[in-house]
Amino acid sequence: MGAQMRIYRQRIRSVQATKKITRAMELIAASRVVKARRRVEQSTPYAIALTRACSAVATHSNTDHALTTEREQPKRAAVLICTSDRGLAGAYSVNAIKQSAELIERLRGEGKEVVPYLVGRKAVSYYKFRRREYEQEWTGFTDNPDFEIAKEVGEALTEQFVDGSDEGGVDEVHIVYTRVVSMVAQEPQVVRLLPLEVVEGDVDTDGDGVADEGPLPLYEFEPSADEVLDALLPKYVNARIYNAFLQSAASELAARQRAMKSATDNAEELIKTYTRLANQARQAEITQEISEIVGGASALADAS
């Protein structure tokens, strides 16, 4: 019985230590997710405005720009996959990778060669473990994105798109990231970044699959629509990628907070269970000791 008691007490101490860690990680994620969501709220209107401006200029100018022109026979497509650098965030990275796999399968079904670009160590580990090829990786910033990284990624993808498949580049650019719906809900999202989809009337500029209200604005172009698009479109790409990084960071922190809370709750339940078992073992030990004392006393009484 004594050995069993020691085992239960050791397990209780181990779970208590784990609970302290998960509780600390939960509190850290909870404090950081507020700032992350604020950054999303600050960047989203700018990204939406840029997208609407680019779409409006391209629509009303009848200009065939390199970044808005559909390729006649697209052969290669780039897919930017946004995951996390660290684990302990539930199914956050798994869901993003699963969504990217569905996109890649669809693109290959259309006869296109897929060129993956990876963000986050989880995506890199996934591809390396399965010995799959990818074009480029960016890691070390997923829970606190910086605009310079987004700009670097945007420039790399834009350069590949401008080159086109005939020059070793790509004909389409897609991005897979996780959109913040609420603190308890985050959804993997697929957006075609390039070529910019130019449509008349309402457009879906926030990437949620729902057309935004109101018609596209009318602009006067100075000096020309081509030069306006030359200036706007690179900003559009960088802003959309940066916003996707911020959305993913907020989703990662929210998922980590929820996962760590669940782990803390499970630890509390384990502690209760082990405490109950330890008490039962202690009671059994006391009962056995009493039985031995009573038995010994009875033996002494019989002997006398």
Side-chain angles (χ1 to χ4, degrees):
M1 289 295 178
Q4 197 172 12
M5 280 285 296
R6 284 194 297 273
I7 291 173
Y8 287 137
R9 286 172 179 170
Q10 183 179 0
R11 289 179 179 176
I12 289 171
R13 286 194 296 268
S14 176
V15 175
Q16 284 175 337
T18 302
K19 177 187 170 184
K20 289 180 181 178
I21 295 171
T22 57
R23 178 60 177 163
M25 293 186 69
E26 177 192 346
L27 293 174
I28 291 170
S31 65
R32 295 184 63 188
V33 74
V34 175
K35 180 180 178 182
R37 292 195 67 182
R38 190 180 304 121
R39 293 178 72 187
V40 171
E41 292 169 359
Q42 291 171 347
S43 73
T44 299
Y46 178 69
I48 290 175
L50 266 180
T51 306
R52 286 178 62 80
C54 291
S55 188
V57 173
T59 299
H60 299 306
S61 65
N62 297 320
T63 299
D64 291 332
H65 192 276
L67 300 187
T68 61
T69 304
E70 298 275 353
R71 307 289 162 84
E72 290 184 2
Q73 293 181 330
K75 301 175 184 176
R76 302 182 83 217
V79 176
L80 180 67
I81 306 169
C82 301
T83 63
S84 64
D85 285 320
R86 297 186 296 132
L88 301 177
Y92 164 75
S93 293
V94 173
N95 289 339
I97 291 172
K98 187 183 298 184
Q99 187 72 45
S100 70
E102 293 176 2
L103 171 64
I104 290 171
E105 184 178 357
R106 176 171 63 81
L107 292 173
R108 285 175 176 164
E110 296 172 357
K112 299 167 187 172
E113 178 188 351
V114 176
V115 185
Y117 289 79
L118 309 181
V119 172
R121 293 190 179 97
K122 290 298 177 181
V124 174
S125 298
Y126 179 87
Y127 270 73
K128 285 185 176 179
F129 180 77
R130 288 160 179 77
R131 297 182 180 179
R132 296 179 182 177
E133 294 183 355
Y134 59 91
E135 188 70 18
Q136 200 168 345
E137 66 180 70
W138 293 273
T139 60
F141 65 91
T142 60
D143 58 353
N144 188 26
D146 183 82
F147 181 75
E148 292 303 316
I149 297 291
K151 184 179 179 182
E152 178 185 334
V153 175
E155 289 175 350
L157 292 173
T158 302
E159 181 180 350
Q160 287 291 303
F161 180 77
V162 171
D163 289 343
S165 57
D166 293 337
E167 300 295 330
V170 297
D171 299 317
E172 294 178 1
V173 176
H174 301 262
I175 180 168
V176 180
Y177 67 98
T178 306
R179 184 170 65 92
V180 179
V181 179
S182 67
M183 285 298 296
V184 295
Q186 298 84 40
E187 294 180 353
Q189 195 76 29
V190 175
V191 172
R192 196 185 79 173
L193 203 62
L194 293 173
L196 172 64
E197 296 184 79
V198 179
V199 294
E200 293 284 353
D202 298 344
V203 291
D204 170 26
T205 53
D206 54 8
D208 60 1
V210 180
D212 299 307
E213 295 182 359
L216 291 173
L218 294 173
Y219 294 104
E220 292 184 1
F221 315 122
E222 183 67 34
S224 68
D226 280 333
E227 293 183 58
V228 170
L229 285 174
D230 284 341
L232 279 181
L233 285 169
K235 295 181 184 297
Y236 149 78
V237 173
N238 297 341
R240 289 305 298 267
I241 290 176
Y242 183 51
N243 182 254
F245 285 175
L246 292 177
Q247 293 262 11
S248 296
S251 298
E252 176 187 346
L253 290 168
R256 180 167 294 115
Q257 178 189 356
R258 195 168 63 253
M260 290 301 97
K261 185 181 187 309
S262 177
T264 302
D265 293 343
N266 290 339
E268 290 177 352
E269 290 300 318
L270 271 176
I271 290 171
K272 290 179 183 178
T273 300
Y274 285 138
T275 300
R276 185 174 62 253
L277 291 172
N279 290 338
Q280 291 174 354
R282 178 60 178 160
Q283 289 170 358
E285 184 178 353
I286 292 172
T287 302
Q288 182 176 346
E289 290 175 356
I290 292 173
S291 298
E292 291 174 353
I293 293 171
V294 171
S298 298
L300 288 173
D302 292 342
S304 63

